[in-house]
Amino acid sequence: MGYLTEKIYDAVGRISQERGRSYFFRGAVKRIEGDAWRAKGKVQGSRLYEVRLAFAEDCLNVSCSCPFFARELSTCKHVWAAALAAEREGLLKGPASLSELEILEIDPEHQPGDRSPRATAQKSRQVPSWKQEIRM
């Protein structure tokens, strides 16, 4: 594990980690770009999915366009594969001094100020604090 995955390891399910590692090693991450604070990429699954990772204070906001992420609002294998690729490229080193990070799964369809039924419903449902959306 590297500087990023080590910090988020406990917040990501074992199966997502195992499958994401497999995706990473077989070259499923088709593109990863960004800087010390954010990264976005494309990961090939049953189709090409868009993944985003960005820091906000002591949280790592993540999103993926895959059906699992949309349904579960939970970190998926595509996000883990993208995190591994970001480490390899030296991205997302912004909060290097933090010992651990909280992950916030963000609905990829939600935009700041969006008051759509989907965004409103996800804000009001009971979820663990590490899964709550950032309220803008």
Side-chain angles (χ1 to χ4, degrees), residues 87-103:
E87 282 181 337
R88 179 186 60 202
E89 298 299 318
L91 305 174
L92 297 170
K93 287 188 173 182
S97 64
L98 296 175
S99 61
E100 59 183 67
L101 291 167
E102 182 176 0
I103 294 180

Side-chain angles (χ1 to χ4, degrees), residues 82-123:
L84 290 167
E87 282 181 337
R88 179 186 60 202
E89 298 299 318
L91 305 174
L92 297 170
K93 287 188 173 182
S97 64
L98 296 175
S99 61
E100 59 183 67
L101 291 167
E102 182 176 0
I103 294 180
L104 295 177
E105 286 92 356
I106 304 298
D107 180 353
E109 295 178 18
H110 176 71
Q111 299 297 318
D114 181 5
R115 297 290 180 211
S116 68
R118 179 180 172 98
T120 304
Q122 287 185 347
K123 284 184 180 180

Side-chain angles (χ1 to χ4, degrees), residues 3-4 6 10 38 54 60 63 74 91 118 121 125 132:
Y3 61 90
L4 176 62
E6 186 175 299
D10 290 335
R38 63 188 50 84
L60 178 64
S63 70
S74 182
L91 305 174
R118 179 180 172 98
R125 72 179 177 172
Q132 290 179 2

Side-chain angles (χ1 to χ4, degrees), residues 46-111:
S46 55
R47 57 180 269 261
L48 196 59
Y49 298 112
E50 185 168 326
V51 176
R52 294 181 182 269
L53 304 99
F55 288 114
E57 298 179 18
D58 61 348
C59 296
L60 178 64
N61 298 331
V62 300
S63 70
C64 181
S65 61
C66 76
F68 173 83
F69 188 91
R71 183 180 62 248
E72 301 295 325
L73 204 59
S74 182
T75 303
C76 62
K77 59 191 172 190
H78 310 107
V79 169
W80 191 259
L84 290 167
E87 282 181 337
R88 179 186 60 202
E89 298 299 318
L91 305 174
L92 297 170
K93 287 188 173 182
S97 64
L98 296 175
S99 61
E100 59 183 67
L101 291 167
E102 182 176 0
I103 294 180
L104 295 177
E105 286 92 356
I106 304 298
D107 180 353
E109 295 178 18
H110 176 71
Q111 299 297 318

